[in-house]
């Protein structure tokens, strides 16, 4: 257990509305990540953070923004949700020893 | 080109037998790391095992071992003595580049292999 929580765990929203997903960690890790998981694609990196207010884009960042104002919280925002953003969203933290990423429980998002 | 290839969409194994899940990778960086994760039907992503590119020995964690063949760029997961609870999706992932102060640990995932353990 890496002390990662995600909220909400499930969300249904309508096309065009903004949505914010929250990732919270309790272990003060520097690196945090947002991935999306879709059938046939595995997990793909959306954005990541390497410190407070330090973020960068991943492989599939279009339509998403992130913010990290505190070490423990990493927010993912869908500025105007589209049906193609229906997915399962995972947050992860990176531990240095051992070197690996640990994932939160995921958020299921349905955009109608 | 895909960086991580898992060629087996689905695999079946009898309980108590061993099974190998294939993973090949593509990188030109001499420093990299390879990971395996398990995703049961409940949805969580569970870290299983890690192999660094400079590690001399194959990684092992309990019933899991990683068959690392660097020249062939393969990092197959071997599960010994399969159990019903091993039924899950398994993902191979790679981090490219050295891990050092200021670097990050971005992972690239394969598409996964669905393992079913039969009683």
């Amino acid at each position: 257990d890496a002390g990662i929580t995600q909220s909400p765990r499930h969300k249904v929203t309508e096309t065009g509305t903004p949505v914010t997903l929250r990732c919270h960690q309790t272990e003060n890790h520097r690196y945090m990540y947002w991935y999306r998981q879709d059938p046939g694609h595995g997990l793909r990196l959306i954005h990541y953070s390497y410190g407070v207010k330090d973020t960068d884009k991943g492989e599939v960042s279009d339509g998403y923004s992130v913010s990290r104002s505190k070490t423990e919280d990493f927010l993912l925002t869908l500025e105007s949700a589209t049906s193609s953003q229906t997915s399962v969203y995972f947050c992860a933290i990176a531990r240095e020893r051992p070197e690996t990423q640990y994932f939160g429980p995921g958020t299921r998002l349905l955009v109608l | 080109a895909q960086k991580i290839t898992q060629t087996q969409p689905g695999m079946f194994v009898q309980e108590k037998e061993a099974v190998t899940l294939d993973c090949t990778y593509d990188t030109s960086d001499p420093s990299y790391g390879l990971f395996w994760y398990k995703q049961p039907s409940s949805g969580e992503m569970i870290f299983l095992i890690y192999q660094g590119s400079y590690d001399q020995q194959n990684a092992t964690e309990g019933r899991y071992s990683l068959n690392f063949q660097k020249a062939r760029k393969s990092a197959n997961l071997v599960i010994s003595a399969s159990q019903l609870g091993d039924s899950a999706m398994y993902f191979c992932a790679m981090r490219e580049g050295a891990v050092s102060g200021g670097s990050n640990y971005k992972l690239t995932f394969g598409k996964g292999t669905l393992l079913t353990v039969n009683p």
Side-chain angles (χ1 to χ4, degrees):
Chain A
D1 183 3
I4 307 168
T5 57
Q6 293 184 231
S7 59
R9 294 293 313 281
H10 303 270
K11 186 169 181 66
V12 180
T13 191
E14 294 186 349
T15 299
T17 60
V19 176
T20 294
L21 309 181
R22 180 183 183 235
C23 176
H24 179 78
Q25 57 138 333
T26 60
E27 297 184 353
N28 204 36
H29 294 288
R30 178 180 177 185
Y31 298 106
M32 299 184 74
Y33 306 81
W34 276 108
Y35 293 88
R36 62 177 288 175
Q37 183 179 24
D38 305 290
H41 288 278
L43 279 78
R44 292 179 292 175
L45 182 65
I46 305 172
H47 280 280
Y48 64 98
S49 170
Y50 46 97
V52 172
K53 298 186 179 179
D54 292 323
T55 65
D56 206 347
K57 297 179 179 180
E59 177 188 357
V60 290
S61 59
D62 287 349
Y64 301 95
S65 62
V66 290
S67 65
R68 192 169 178 200
S69 58
K70 299 184 291 184
T71 298
E72 58 265 35
D73 289 327
F74 192 29
L75 304 181
L76 177 71
T77 297
L78 289 64
E79 292 139 9
S80 178
T82 67
S83 58
S84 64
Q85 293 176 312
T86 291
S87 189
V88 180
Y89 291 86
F90 285 97
C91 173
I93 59 93
R95 280 182 177 162
E96 297 187 30
R97 296 288 184 272
E99 176 216 326
T100 192
Q101 286 191 21
Y102 290 89
F103 286 80
T107 294
R108 290 188 174 274
L109 176 67
L110 175 61
V111 183
L112 300 174
Chain B
Q2 288 190 19
K3 288 185 176 289
I4 295 288
T5 302
Q6 295 180 253
T7 57
Q8 307 152 314
M11 287 281 287
F12 293 89
V13 66
Q14 287 298 122
E15 193 177 8
K16 299 181 184 178
E17 292 184 351
V19 62
T20 298
L21 306 183
D22 294 342
C23 173
T24 57
Y25 59 91
D26 181 24
T27 182
S28 57
D29 200 309
S31 179
Y32 52 89
L34 297 157
F35 304 77
W36 278 92
Y37 288 85
K38 173 185 178 181
Q39 186 177 43
S41 58
S42 52
E44 68 268 34
M45 292 288 290
I46 302 168
F47 166 70
L48 296 178
I49 197 166
Y50 163 75
Q51 178 87 41
S53 60
Y54 294 118
D55 293 344
Q56 294 297 309
Q57 293 187 323
N58 286 347
T60 61
E61 290 287 347
R63 293 187 299 111
Y64 304 107
S65 60
L66 201 153
N67 184 2
F68 181 44
Q69 298 187 44
K70 198 169 183 176
R72 296 181 58 190
K73 293 190 174 180
S74 73
N76 298 339
L77 177 69
V78 180
I79 305 174
S80 62
S82 296
Q83 302 172 355
L84 296 178
D86 293 334
S87 293
M89 183 72 81
Y90 288 81
F91 291 97
C92 180
M94 178 175 65
R95 170 196 50 77
E96 293 180 272
V99 174
S100 60
S103 73
N104 65 76
Y105 307 79
K106 292 186 292 182
L107 296 182
T108 302
F109 284 81
K111 295 184 178 181
T113 295
L114 181 61
L115 176 66
T116 302
V117 180
N118 294 318

